[in-house]
Amino acid sequence: MLRAEVLFGNQELQIGYNICTMSLRPKNIDFNITWDNLKILVEGVITMSQLPRSMWNDHFGDVYNLCVAFPEPLADKLYMETKKFLDEHTQDLYELIISSDQGLLIAYHHYWVRFSQGATYLNRLYLYLNTQHIKKQKFNEADLQYGRSDHGGESLMEIGELALEMHKARSSCLDDCPNQPVYHGVIQSFVEVEDFKKVDSLLLYREIFETPFLRHTGDYYKGEASRLLQENNCSQYMEKVLQKLDEEEFRSRKFLHPSSYSRVAEECEKRMVADHLQFLHGECRRIVRQEIRNDMQHLYMLLKSVPAAAEALIMEVQQHIVKNGLEAINSLRGGDNGTNFLPQAFVESLLEVHEKYTQLIKEVFNGDQLFFGALDKACTIVINHKGNPKITCRSPELLAKYCDALLKKNAKTCTENEIEIKLQQTITIFKYLDDKDVFQKVRFMLMEEVLSMFYARMLAKRLIYNQSMSMDAEEAMINKLKQACGYEFTSKLHRMFTDVSVSTDLNSRFMDSLRRSNTDLGINFYISVLQAGAWPLGQVAISPFAIPQELEKSVQKFESFYVSSFSGRKLTWLHHLCNAELKLCYLKKSYIVTMSTYQMAILLLFETTDILTFSYILENTKLNSEQLVKQVQSLVEAKLILPSKSNRPVESSSTFYLNQNYTNKRTKFKLTAVVQKEAAQQEVEQTHVSVDEDRKLYLQAAIVRIMKARKVLRHNSLIQEVINQAKARFVPNVSMIKKCIEALIDKQYIERTPNSTDEYSYVA
């Protein structure tokens, strides 16, 4: 039983044919008679005419009979006659369309709908011919791609495909648009008519419709752009161009094939944007500097559609951020070239600028990564700006001081969460530093690293003097630095924390040993044992010192305990970093004063007398004269002791007496150590000098590594490779690299190649 579903007019007929009683054997058939009868049915099907059921029943099997005819199958002849019929029929349709008084598109659309449906059902009528004859001779995709066939003839098409091929539109222009369904249907017919093709099925669509359409579209918008430029300012022009681009995109999606969307958009953008780049680029600076957000957004949306056109806007944004960033910094120092501004004001001004333009890029430029790249470059310029090329950039130092202020116990008005946020923000600034090794100064002894840095110095003081607001906050900050720069950068900072933890355990064990031996020290005594290689402790205030008698027992006991616990280790006492709490009981009310060990040693000498000479204090403390002058002066300024002759500087002949009338509103207070007062600037200077020395050693190590690997290298190539290796830590200058090369030649690590002035070779 064969079943065919055919739609004729508005009726769907389901017709079944029982051909089991028909003989399927090939038989001798008169082609002309059979074709004349079949042709009537074919014409009725392709024109979607009303056909009697008996006609379909009588002639449905004619296609099969012709294909299996005896003595010779007539399939090829059937195919050719059907092709001839379809060619004549489509020619008749063409003449009907162009002569119709309904309008070209309406007539075309009317006949196309009927013809395309008829072609579908005609394909079913020829099912046996399609499957048993045509498909066997049809070119496959590889044949079509490489232009060959096994039988050397023309590729056959299935009858439905053949009908569409014959119906290709002969009109090359669409000159009216009565309504959307008709327009869309006509355009879609150019696609459907070759949809059966495996390769380049849109060729006809492009040739007949798309190419001329794009040409006319470009001409139209070229004129529109000229008109809009004459009638509007830049802001209005951009707004109207964007509106027209949106309208054209809407029309494209309503009428055209999807393959045309981008081509139409490109044509519009070319005529209204690319052809007027000089005008748009000329307005970039004004729009960006005035920060007209709507105009910046519109300009961005237009320029991003043209390759490389947005670069001018990106550069203007970068320069604008640099200008505003430098103005923000200069305003902190009154517009001069001085450097007297607070770390907090400096860092927070930079963060304000960064936050402002981060938001602008997100909101105006849709978070475009090219603009974030411009922000990064601008911030790098601002943060590493020196003003005077002869001075050192202070950004690393100021950033370290800002962190130090946040992490100290006396940090006011900030909760832990607020401090966490501020510390996270400092990493934003840190990432832009060229000289990261000044923030966290890293010293290289060829291949050996010794830590000494601004941040580490300040961290060391906070840990030693128990000034950290929160150990969790300290560790969180170090972890942020590690994420930004890697483990190597922060490894010794972690060792400092380890020492603090170990010292706590060590003191606990020391106290246990004293209890077991029933030893009473008479004072509260706490020791911090620090690894010499991990702590950046300066030698600024080192001086000979005689430990006060009140401390001798505690020091001796701890030394004995430590030596018995750890063999082969040596303790070096850093008295200038120690603090003491001294209770003053000789006044009308008691006071507890925190002071340095040196200050305490001087005051303890007044335990048995009220008056002492400078020479006596010098002999009993063993401090050098320079150090003692500073310590005594600090006690005089605090008015705990007074000179016998007022208004005279401290000198070797001076005499001092205990101030029995001393008063203070606070019963517990702290004296600032002289060492801390004077060491700050010296440490800054020492750090910068040390950084230069460390950089030289690092560069020498880099040169040795490079030369060991390359053996022979020219001067300029060596310079470039050294810069590439060093730029992750700092930006080396060429003169420093040259000095390092000369130093290594003197040390016989490398040598100049004979007969060449700009080539070096490695000395094995």
Side-chain angles (χ1 to χ4, degrees):
M1 177 75 71
L2 300 180
R3 181 170 296 277
E5 297 181 2
V6 186
L7 181 66
F8 291 156
N10 296 320
Q11 296 180 350
E12 183 174 339
L13 304 180
Q14 295 186 355
I15 306 171
Y17 306 94
N18 191 340
I19 60 172
C20 295
T21 59
M22 297 172 55
S23 174
L24 298 180
R25 293 181 180 181
K27 50 189 173 181
N28 198 336
I29 292 178
D30 186 324
F31 179 83
N32 292 331
I33 295 174
T34 305
W35 169 244
D36 287 342
N37 294 327
L38 180 61
K39 184 178 178 180
I40 297 171
L41 178 61
V42 169
E43 184 176 5
V45 171
I46 199 66
T47 58
M48 297 293 290
S49 302
Q50 294 287 350
L51 294 175
R53 184 187 297 263
S54 59
M55 179 181 289
W56 181 269
N57 293 342
D58 293 342
H59 299 293
F60 181 80
D62 288 346
V63 173
Y64 172 80
N65 292 330
L66 290 170
C67 290
V68 298
F70 178 83
E72 182 180 352
L74 299 172
D76 286 334
K77 193 170 183 179
L78 174 61
Y79 179 84
M80 295 308 297
E81 286 297 328
T82 304
K83 181 179 179 181
K84 180 181 177 182
F85 167 79
L86 290 172
D87 187 35
E88 292 171 354
H89 177 68
T90 54
Q91 179 63 31
D92 292 341
L93 287 179
Y94 173 71
E95 292 173 0
L96 287 171
I97 290 169
I98 61 175
S99 63
S100 173
D101 57 3
Q102 293 180 312
L104 179 65
L105 293 185
I106 291 178
Y108 177 89
H109 183 251
H110 168 74
Y111 286 110
W112 161 253
V113 170
R114 191 173 66 178
F115 180 86
S116 61
Q117 291 176 349
T120 300
Y121 293 117
L122 186 65
N123 198 58
R124 296 180 185 178
L125 179 63
Y126 279 79
L127 179 63
Y128 188 83
L129 178 71
N130 289 337
T131 56
Q132 300 300 319
H133 179 70
I134 294 176
K135 283 190 176 180
K136 293 178 180 179
Q137 300 184 52
K138 191 175 183 180
F139 292 177
N140 58 32
E141 190 171 345
D143 293 331
L144 294 172
Q145 182 174 354
Y146 297 105
R148 65 175 182 84
S149 67
D150 295 335
H151 45 73
E154 181 182 352
S155 177
L156 300 183
M157 298 180 184
E158 293 183 21
I159 297 304
E161 298 173 352
L162 181 65
L164 294 175
E165 179 70 16
M166 295 296 100
H167 189 71
K168 284 185 177 178
R170 290 166 172 82
S171 173
S172 61
C173 175
L174 303 176
D175 54 10
D176 71 56
C177 179
N179 55 63
Q180 189 268 335
V182 170
Y183 196 0
H184 182 267
V186 170
I187 295 172
Q188 190 63 25
S189 75
F190 298 143
V191 177
E192 293 174 359
V193 81
E194 289 194 325
D195 194 41
F196 60 87
K197 286 189 174 181
K198 300 297 183 182
V199 178
D200 204 5
S201 61
L202 295 175
L203 179 62
L204 179 68
Y205 169 78
R206 288 198 296 270
E207 289 179 349
I208 296 297
F209 173 74
E210 187 182 74
T211 300
F213 178 79
L214 290 176
R215 183 174 63 253
H216 290 302
T217 299
D219 292 342
Y220 172 77
Y221 281 111
K222 183 177 181 180
E224 278 293 283
S226 298
R227 181 181 66 80
L228 291 174
L229 282 171
Q230 292 174 358
E231 298 175 358
N232 301 279
N233 60 31
C234 181
S235 179
Q236 294 166 335
Y237 176 77
M238 291 190 296
E239 188 173 350
K240 291 182 178 179
V241 167
L242 286 169
Q243 182 180 351
K244 287 189 173 294
L245 290 175
D246 287 342
E247 290 171 355
E248 192 61 39
E249 182 183 9
F250 175 76
R251 280 192 292 271
S252 294
R253 294 183 181 278
K254 192 173 182 181
F255 296 111
L256 306 184
H257 186 268
S259 65
S260 296
Y261 298 166
S262 61
R263 294 187 179 98
V264 174
E266 286 172 10
E267 187 65 29
C268 297
E269 290 158 356
K270 179 181 177 182
R271 298 306 178 189
M272 305 190 79
V273 181
D275 289 353
H276 302 284
L277 280 182
Q278 186 175 359
F279 166 69
L280 294 172
H281 284 165
E283 294 291 321
C284 272
R285 179 165 297 183
R286 176 187 64 82
I287 292 171
V288 171
R289 293 197 172 180
Q290 294 179 15
E291 293 191 14
I292 308 172
R293 289 202 164 204
N294 279 342
D295 285 358
M296 281 195 290
Q297 189 172 45
H298 293 162
L299 186 58
Y300 164 70
M301 293 172 69
L302 292 177
L303 293 180
K304 73 174 183 178
S305 63
V306 180
E311 290 178 3
L313 178 60
I314 294 169
M315 184 54 65
E316 284 297 337
V317 169
Q318 179 179 324
Q319 292 173 355
H320 180 64
I321 298 172
V322 170
K323 178 175 176 291
N324 280 269
L326 294 178
E327 285 177 356
I329 293 175
N330 289 332
S331 67
L332 300 176
R333 50 195 180 201
D336 59 16
N337 291 324
T339 56
N340 297 321
F341 44 79
L342 296 173
Q344 181 179 356
F346 173 78
V347 173
E348 292 182 355
S349 293
L350 291 176
L351 289 172
E352 261 182 53
V353 171
H354 186 271
E355 177 62 22
K356 173 184 176 181
Y357 290 105
T358 297
Q359 288 301 117
L360 184 142
I361 290 169
K362 287 179 180 177
E363 295 167 6
V364 175
F365 304 121
N366 297 329
D368 193 317
Q369 290 303 310
L370 292 175
F371 285 87
F372 275 121
L375 174 64
D376 290 342
K377 291 176 184 176
C379 289
T380 299
I381 293 169
V382 171
I383 291 170
N384 296 286
H385 180 70
K386 296 180 181 178
N388 183 349
K390 295 182 180 179
I391 65 174
T392 305
C393 177
R394 291 196 62 206
S395 297
E397 174 192 346
L398 293 168
L399 182 60
K401 287 182 176 178
Y402 175 76
C403 294
D404 183 57
L406 283 178
L407 291 167
K408 279 186 175 176
K409 276 185 178 178
N410 58 358
K412 298 177 181 178
T413 69
C414 284
T415 65
E416 284 196 24
N417 286 338
E418 289 172 334
I419 289 175
E420 171 69 18
I421 292 170
K422 288 181 184 251
L423 290 175
Q424 182 61 49
Q425 290 172 335
T426 62
I427 300 299
T428 300
I429 306 298
F430 175 75
K431 289 177 180 177
Y432 294 121
L433 289 176
D434 279 343
D435 297 335
K436 293 182 177 66
D437 60 338
V438 178
F439 177 87
Q440 196 262 20
K441 193 183 77 63
V442 181
R443 175 177 298 173
F444 286 86
M445 301 296 293
L446 286 178
M447 298 302 292
E448 186 178 349
E449 181 185 36
V450 182
L451 190 62
S452 179
M453 58 209 170
F454 277 123
Y455 184 83
R457 287 179 188 274
M458 296 172 188
L459 173 61
K461 289 179 181 178
R462 293 196 298 274
L463 295 178
I464 290 172
Y465 298 125
N466 195 26
Q467 293 176 334
S468 287
M469 182 196 71
S470 164
M471 295 300 284
D472 289 340
E474 295 281 9
E475 291 197 35
M477 181 61 183
I478 292 175
N479 287 331
K480 290 179 177 66
L481 290 173
K482 182 168 69 174
Q483 290 171 6
C485 301
Y487 176 76
E488 181 185 8
F489 192 82
T490 56
S491 59
K492 291 185 180 177
L493 300 181
H494 283 291
R495 286 169 60 189
M496 292 164 67
F497 275 93
T498 301
D499 285 351
V500 171
S501 176
V502 169
S503 293
T504 301
D505 179 64
L506 197 61
N507 277 273
S508 177
R509 290 164 53 195
F510 177 55
M511 291 295 111
D512 288 341
S513 69
L514 292 177
R515 281 193 291 272
R516 287 195 298 270
S517 61
N518 295 319
T519 303
D520 183 12
L521 299 178
I523 60 172
N524 291 326
F525 188 72
Y526 187 90
I527 294 292
S528 294
V529 179
L530 316 175
Q531 299 178 66
W535 292 72
L537 304 175
Q539 304 296 311
V540 177
I542 292 289
S543 166
F545 178 61
I547 299 171
Q549 184 177 357
E550 291 81 354
L551 294 180
E552 283 184 357
K553 181 179 179 182
S554 300
V555 169
Q556 289 173 358
K557 288 291 183 181
F558 185 81
E559 285 182 341
S560 300
F561 163 77
Y562 192 81
V563 169
S564 64
S565 300
F566 305 97
S567 60
R569 296 189 185 181
K570 179 183 178 183
L571 288 176
T572 300
W573 293 87
L574 302 177
H575 298 292
H576 66 289
L577 297 176
C578 298
N579 275 342
E581 277 193 357
L582 199 62
K583 187 174 183 179
L584 307 181
C585 301
Y586 59 91
L587 301 168
K588 292 181 180 179
K589 61 179 179 179
S590 297
Y591 295 94
I592 296 176
V593 188
T594 302
M595 60 186 69
S596 72
T597 306
Y598 293 162
Q599 291 169 328
M600 178 196 66
I602 295 169
L603 279 180
L604 286 175
L605 295 176
F606 286 91
E607 183 76 16
T608 56
T609 181
D610 292 343
I611 300 176
L612 292 174
T613 63
F614 182 87
S615 57
Y616 180 84
I617 298 173
L618 182 66
E619 181 181 352
N620 282 272
T621 60
K622 303 300 181 183
L623 291 169
N624 59 46
S625 297
E626 181 182 359
Q627 186 63 242
L628 183 59
V629 168
K630 295 174 183 177
Q631 300 297 333
V632 170
Q633 184 64 43
S634 68
L635 293 172
V636 170
E637 290 174 359
K639 297 184 180 180
L640 288 174
I641 61 175
L642 299 173
S644 56
K645 296 180 180 179
S646 60
N647 299 325
R648 291 188 62 179
V650 175
E651 53 190 24
S652 59
S653 60
S654 298
T655 303
F656 305 93
Y657 63 91
L658 199 61
N659 182 8
Q660 300 284 354
N661 297 316
Y662 177 82
T663 60
N664 196 316
K665 292 181 180 179
R666 293 179 296 173
T667 58
K668 189 172 183 178
F669 57 93
K670 179 180 179 180
L671 296 183
T672 303
V674 178
V675 175
Q676 293 176 346
K677 286 182 180 178
E678 298 193 350
Q681 185 56 37
Q682 293 180 33
E683 285 185 358
V684 170
E685 294 171 359
Q686 285 180 359
T687 299
H688 283 299
V689 171
S690 185
V691 164
D692 282 341
E693 292 303 315
D694 295 346
R695 289 180 176 182
K696 289 176 184 177
L697 294 171
Y698 175 78
L699 293 175
Q700 288 181 27
I703 293 168
V704 170
R705 284 196 301 270
I706 292 167
M707 291 304 302
K708 188 174 182 180
R710 302 291 294 275
K711 305 305 180 187
V712 177
L713 205 59
R714 289 195 173 276
H715 177 80
N716 289 340
S717 298
L718 178 57
I719 294 285
Q720 190 57 51
E721 288 205 30
V722 172
I723 290 173
N724 290 339
Q725 283 199 15
K727 66 184 179 183
R729 292 186 179 277
F730 63 94
V731 181
N733 59 63
V734 176
S735 62
M736 182 181 285
I737 297 175
K738 289 180 178 178
K739 290 178 182 178
C740 292
I741 291 173
E742 293 299 327
L744 290 172
I745 291 173
D746 292 340
K747 295 176 182 178
Q748 297 183 352
Y749 281 96
I750 61 176
E751 63 183 7
R752 287 188 174 84
T753 304
N755 303 321
S756 178
T757 59
D758 69 338
E759 191 175 68
Y760 308 103
S761 59
Y762 177 69
V763 179

